[in-house]
Amino acid sequence: MESTRIAEQAEETGAPLTEAEEEQAGYALRALTAKPGDPDAALVSREWLSLVQPFFELGWAMGVRTGSTGLAVAGVPVDGATVAHAFAQLNGERAANVLARGQEEPQHAGPSIWQRVRYHGSLTRSHGTYWVEAIHAYGDPVSMLPTLRYDLGELRGETLVPVVTNVRRVSLTPVAEWLTAL
C-alpha cells in the first residue's frame, strides 16, 4: 500500500541518460549503420547519424530501463533492410528538407536524400533517373536562404555510384520513390 498514490500527488521521477547508456547506444547505432565488410564506414552520412542519435539514445535507454530488451533476441542483429527502412521513413517525413530549408511547405520542397529524381539539366548526355545521394547547402548573404545543390547517383549492384554533381533544383523533377536498402 505504500506505493499507492493519489493522482494529484503523483510526481514525475527519473534520471538523465548515463554515460554507459549513451556509450552503448552509440556502439549499437554505429553497428546498425556500418557498411558490410568495412565496419569503420557508415551507410549513412555523419549528418544523418547526428540527427537520429539523440532519438536512438532515448529509445535505447527507455528499452533498457523498462526491461523491454529481454533475452528473446539476444545476439540476433537487426537486418540491414530494417535499418535502411528506418532512415527512409525519417527521410520520407522530409526531415532533410525541413532542416535544409527551414520551411515546411511541401509545394516548395525539393527532393530529399535517397529520393529518386529525373535529371533534365544542361548535361544532356546525363539526362535520366537517379537517386539523390547528397544535398549541399550554401549560404546566400543577399536572401539569407541557403542555395541547395544536389549530387545524383545510380545503383550498380549494391553500390551507389556518383553520376552528376552540383545540380540545381530547377534541373530536377522529384519522383515519389525512395531508396530503402543498399
Side-chain angles (χ1 to χ4, degrees), residues 4 13 29 32 37 43 47 52 66 77-78 103-104 114 118 128 130-131 140 148 156 166 181-182:
T4 304
T13 59
L29 182 59
L32 282 171
L43 292 171
E47 291 81 15
V52 300
T66 61
V78 177
Q103 65 186 27
E104 296 186 23
W114 308 126
R118 278 192 285 283
Y130 302 101
W131 297 105
D140 184 349
L148 300 178
R156 294 189 186 148
N166 203 31
L182 287 179

Side-chain angles (χ1 to χ4, degrees), residues 45 47-48 111-115 131-137 148-153 160 164-167 172:
S45 70
E47 291 81 15
W48 276 105
S112 300
I113 295 175
W114 308 126
Q115 185 174 5
W131 297 105
V132 175
E133 60 179 339
I135 300 174
H136 305 280
L148 300 178
R149 300 294 178 157
Y150 300 84
D151 292 349
L152 311 177
L160 193 60
V164 186
T165 60
N166 203 31
V167 177
L172 301 174

Side-chain angles (χ1 to χ4, degrees), residues 97-151:
N97 290 334
V98 172
L99 291 174
R101 293 174 182 76
Q103 65 186 27
E104 296 186 23
E105 301 170 18
Q107 65 269 25
H108 298 299
S112 300
I113 295 175
W114 308 126
Q115 185 174 5
R116 171 101 61 195
V117 294
R118 278 192 285 283
Y119 171 70
H120 45 78
S122 58
L123 299 174
T124 56
R125 62 179 164 72
S126 297
H127 283 185
T129 305
Y130 302 101
W131 297 105
V132 175
E133 60 179 339
I135 300 174
H136 305 280
Y138 301 98
D140 184 349
V142 176
S143 70
M144 299 303 285
L145 295 173
T147 300
L148 300 178
R149 300 294 178 157
Y150 300 84
D151 292 349

